[in-house]
Amino acid sequence: MTRRRLHPQIGTSEEVSGMPLRRSPRLHPQIHATGNGVGMTRRGRRRRGKSPADPESLPLHEDMLREILLRLPPQPSSLLRASAVCKNWRGLITDPRFLRRFRAHQGKPPLLGVFESHIWGIKFRSTLGPPDRIPPERFDLQHQIDRRSGIRLGLLGCRHGRVLLLDDKRNKVIVCDPITGEHHRLDVPPAFRGFYIYGAVLCAAADDGHVHGSCHSSPFNVVLMSLSRGGDKDEYDDEHDYGDTSPMACVYSSETAVWGNLISTMDRCELDEVNPGILIGNALYWSSKSVIPNRNVLHLDYLADDVVEFDLDRQSLAVIKGPPSLNGSLRHQIIRAEDNALGLAIFSHGRFEVWQRWVSCHGGTTWLLHNTFEVHTLLGLPPQIEGSMRKMEILGYDEDNRAIIVFVDGNVYMVQPMSTQFRKLYESRYPIKCHPFASFYTPDPCCKVAPHKNKFNFSSLIG
């Protein structure tokens, strides 16, 4: 008996050349699974449309959807686009519980940009690319605080989504939240008036699982530090305004709305102008700002290896000695080393030396050289021509990413000295000191600000 070979029908459409395609039920049976797994044949035309049991027609379970949304990158456009998918997604994203989980899953806020202090005022420069780039006018601090005063504000530092400013003529410091526009004016304690003031702002939230960077409604502390000489600053002229000094500090708490007692130490230090304070663990550190961009005069006689430490837990000040190579260095930066240890990155002769302070179990301390690297080799730049000098300045430090912000030949880079990772941020004609600003783009709906600022409006945050 000869077996008849069947020829397959090619095509996936029910109609070919305008004519209906007929299929034999004997040759093309439709097999449907039953509850016991036995196949049954059903003759008849297939239903158009999807079956009610089609997985694509079933709504995604909310718990699974939350887990997916939690893994979106923290850039501003991510949640904005997700919230525009449908009403259900927007409801999930605007839920305060989801926002807390989102911040906890990210672990740290993204770097939005840097604040620069110019002659004409404070300018924000975004480090994000489109569509996440933030226009400078969105974070215009002068406009947010007092658009008519015309007083130039000093920039003391940024941390935990807040910016600390100094109104020297009015003897006030201002804590500003660029995301919400909220700000607080604080009177400078009388002991600090007439001296150079250095300061830091910190979130004071002690909740379990709190992630800094979206601290709009959280309490905060302000730490002021100055170098006292036991007399009024006006008694010293510019030629003798440096040298043997003693640090003093004071802490303001937004929970009590008062300044604490004046904290001082008998330890003496020799510092020129001071870098912005760096938070490592639960202590703030300041070192000498031995080189200032665009300044040709260096006070080389006053360079030293002193570092001022303020312990936030003990509320105490101390002066510690840095590594030997810090004495006389023209460019250096306090960094956060491994295990939250104090570190220093010292730039000399085209290379970085990275030092880490090691504390023994008996309380003894020593400095260990962690590594060294050539800047031009790391950044992939051609070596310097013999006799020339590469234009290189340290502009700031990003605590969250443990990265030094450096200016090299018209480009600004983030360099991680512990891991020697780097990335280019932007181009700049001149080296300008900057303060990195990191924050989430999701203001807490429970924050106590004006009602029109309390709305979950992503579009207003990215311009």
Side-chain angles (χ1 to χ4, degrees):
M1 181 176 179
T2 304
R3 182 175 297 178
R4 183 180 179 184
R5 179 175 297 179
L6 300 179
H7 297 278
Q9 297 176 351
I10 301 176
T12 57
S13 174
E14 292 291 334
E15 296 183 358
V16 179
S17 302
M19 298 181 62
L21 178 63
R22 299 183 62 184
R23 296 184 180 182
S24 170
R26 292 185 301 168
L27 303 181
H28 303 278
Q30 296 179 353
I31 301 176
H32 299 268
T34 61
N36 56 6
V38 179
M40 294 181 63
T41 302
R42 186 186 66 181
R43 298 183 181 181
R45 300 186 62 183
R46 184 169 54 188
R47 294 182 182 178
R48 294 184 178 272
K50 296 180 179 180
S51 168
D54 192 330
E56 295 182 1
S57 66
L58 293 178
L60 191 62
H61 196 276
E62 287 193 358
D63 289 341
M64 185 183 298
L65 178 58
R66 287 191 186 95
E67 293 299 322
I68 295 174
L69 295 177
L70 286 175
R71 286 156 176 78
L72 290 176
Q75 277 68 26
S77 63
S78 300
L79 292 181
L80 171 62
R81 292 177 175 179
S83 66
V85 171
C86 63
K87 186 176 181 180
N88 183 37
W89 284 36
R90 183 176 179 84
L92 290 176
I93 292 174
T94 56
D95 185 355
R97 293 171 297 181
F98 170 81
L99 297 178
R100 285 192 292 268
R101 287 191 61 194
F102 180 78
R103 294 190 289 265
H105 181 79
Q106 299 297 331
K108 63 180 180 180
L111 177 66
L112 306 184
V114 297
F115 282 98
E116 300 173 334
S117 184
H118 296 263
I119 297 178
W120 57 85
I122 299 172
K123 176 185 176 182
F124 176 79
R125 184 195 291 267
S126 178
T127 57
L128 300 174
D132 302 306
R133 184 175 297 276
I134 305 171
E137 58 271 14
R138 176 62 185 87
F139 290 157
D140 187 346
L141 301 182
Q142 186 76 44
H143 185 271
Q144 290 182 357
I145 295 172
D146 190 355
R147 69 185 70 177
R148 298 180 181 178
S149 67
I151 296 178
R152 183 184 175 187
L153 300 174
L155 182 57
L156 297 181
C158 302
R159 187 176 290 104
H160 301 161
R162 292 186 172 101
V163 181
L164 184 62
L165 307 172
L166 174 65
D167 186 346
D168 195 20
K169 292 187 177 180
R170 298 177 181 175
N171 289 317
K172 292 182 180 294
V173 290
I174 304 171
V175 179
C176 181
D177 187 335
I179 298 292
T180 64
E182 186 180 17
H183 59 275
H184 304 268
R185 297 177 185 268
L186 314 174
D187 292 326
V188 173
F192 289 84
R193 297 175 185 177
F195 291 99
Y196 288 111
I197 295 178
Y198 310 96
V201 60
L202 309 96
C203 176
D207 304 336
D208 292 338
H210 177 80
V211 177
H212 297 304
S214 187
C215 312
H216 311 288
S217 60
S218 302
F220 61 88
N221 293 331
V222 174
V223 179
L224 294 186
M225 194 278 291
S226 186
L227 301 175
S228 170
R229 296 169 185 84
D232 196 331
K233 175 178 176 293
D234 294 336
E235 298 177 5
Y236 303 87
D237 55 30
D238 291 338
E239 294 182 0
H240 302 86
D241 198 20
Y242 304 93
D244 197 19
T245 58
S246 180
M248 61 180 181
C250 194
V251 182
Y252 173 88
S253 171
S254 66
E255 295 178 292
T256 61
V258 295
W259 289 95
N261 297 327
L262 185 66
I263 303 167
S264 59
T265 178
M266 298 301 294
D267 296 341
R268 313 294 289 182
C269 61
E270 296 183 12
L271 295 180
D272 193 343
E273 295 187 51
V274 176
N275 280 309
I278 302 300
L279 180 65
I280 302 175
N282 209 25
L284 285 165
Y285 296 90
W286 291 271
S287 65
S288 178
K289 185 193 296 181
S290 50
V291 169
I292 303 174
N294 300 325
R295 177 181 291 185
N296 296 322
V297 179
L298 305 178
H299 298 275
L300 298 178
D301 296 336
Y302 301 101
L303 299 179
D305 58 354
D306 293 333
V307 176
V308 176
E309 177 190 55
F310 179 69
D311 192 306
L312 293 165
D313 290 331
R314 300 178 182 177
Q315 297 281 288
S316 62
L317 276 167
V319 177
I320 60 180
K321 294 296 181 180
S325 58
L326 180 62
N327 190 12
S329 69
L330 299 183
R331 300 171 181 88
H332 62 266
Q333 174 64 52
I334 293 177
I335 63 173
R336 183 159 59 99
E338 295 176 351
D339 301 324
N340 273 339
L342 172 63
L344 275 164
I346 302 173
F347 179 77
S348 178
H349 303 292
R351 69 176 184 176
F352 267 112
E353 292 183 358
V354 182
W355 294 81
Q356 179 172 341
R357 188 169 182 254
W358 181 76
V359 181
S360 69
C361 57
H362 302 290
T365 60
T366 186
W367 287 91
L368 302 176
L369 182 61
H370 179 78
N371 68 342
T372 61
F373 59 88
E374 301 286 339
V375 175
H376 74 273
T377 302
L378 175 67
L379 302 181
L381 302 175
Q384 295 175 232
I385 302 175
E386 186 176 355
S388 66
M389 186 176 243
R390 172 161 275 132
K391 185 66 173 177
M392 189 273 185
E393 302 288 353
I394 297 176
L395 305 183
Y397 184 69
D398 182 359
E399 294 175 348
D400 292 321
N401 294 297
R402 303 187 184 192
I404 302 175
I405 300 179
V406 297
F407 172 91
V408 183
D409 294 344
N411 296 307
V412 177
Y413 300 89
M414 281 182 62
V415 178
Q416 295 175 321
M418 299 301 294
S419 62
T420 64
Q421 304 272 335
F422 78 95
R423 73 181 178 96
K424 181 180 175 181
L425 293 181
Y426 52 86
E427 297 180 359
S428 178
R429 295 180 61 186
Y430 306 103
I432 302 172
K433 286 287 184 181
C434 64
H435 298 262
F437 179 72
S439 180
F440 290 105
Y441 269 30
T442 51
D444 189 350
C446 300
C447 64
K448 299 177 181 178
V449 296
H452 69 282
K453 297 177 182 177
N454 197 24
K455 296 180 179 179
F456 190 89
N457 186 0
F458 284 110
S459 59
S460 65
L461 295 175
I462 61 174

